[in-house]
Amino acid sequence: MLELTMATLSGEDAGATAGMTMAEAPSEPGAVLRVGRDTAVCRLVTPEDWLFVSRVHLEFLCGPDGTWQVTWLRGSQPDPASEVRLAHGPHARSVEYGGTVPLPYGGSGEIVVQERTAPRSVNVGFYHEV
């Protein structure tokens, strides 16, 4: 089971969450959870006017062995208006635009989508229950 918790933060919030939502999916091959502005396809939806987040920004996909990966999907713009970082434990790394990274098996952490021009971010916590 993969559990996601999303908080949207802006500079005006001074560390408070503007919105908190949750989603989960079983660790079965082909299971998908998406994060973005499009309510039709995303389980976790960001504010509609937060244009630094694509309609479908992140895709969590369960592989054939029950492990999960996250992909920063390429949007309609050649250069993104945000940066994406994956952190778990003491480790943090940037995710390339269009790149895919594995989530730690049985682990937890956070993926942060940070707007490049303003103090706004989408923080997606993850927990992979085995």
Side-chain angles (χ1 to χ4, degrees):
M1 174 84 58
L2 181 68
E3 298 173 356
L4 301 178
T5 304
M6 183 185 78
T8 54
L9 306 168
S10 67
E12 305 87 57
D13 295 329
T17 57
M20 180 80 80
T21 55
M22 296 175 63
E24 62 183 30
S27 293
E28 297 172 352
V32 175
L33 290 169
R34 294 183 184 95
V35 177
R37 293 181 294 126
D38 189 337
T39 59
V41 295
C42 296
R43 291 277 304 276
L44 295 175
V45 180
T46 63
E48 191 174 303
D49 62 341
W50 284 31
L51 301 180
F52 70 97
V53 177
S54 301
R55 285 179 174 79
V56 182
H57 202 87
L58 300 173
E59 181 177 81
F60 294 82
L61 176 65
C62 186
D65 57 356
T67 60
W68 287 85
Q69 64 182 29
V70 61
T71 300
W72 179 8
L73 300 171
R74 292 188 72 87
S76 60
Q77 303 299 316
D79 295 315
S82 62
E83 298 174 352
V84 175
R85 293 183 316 278
L86 168 72
H88 63 94
H91 308 286
R93 67 184 277 193
S94 293
V95 179
E96 287 184 45
Y97 187 41
T100 299
V101 295
L103 297 181
Y105 183 75
S108 63
E110 182 176 52
I111 296 166
V112 178
V113 179
Q114 179 71 52
E115 185 174 15
R116 290 185 177 191
T117 59
R120 296 189 295 184
S121 67
V122 176
N123 297 42
V124 180
F126 63 87
Y127 173 69
H128 184 204
E129 182 180 318
V130 289

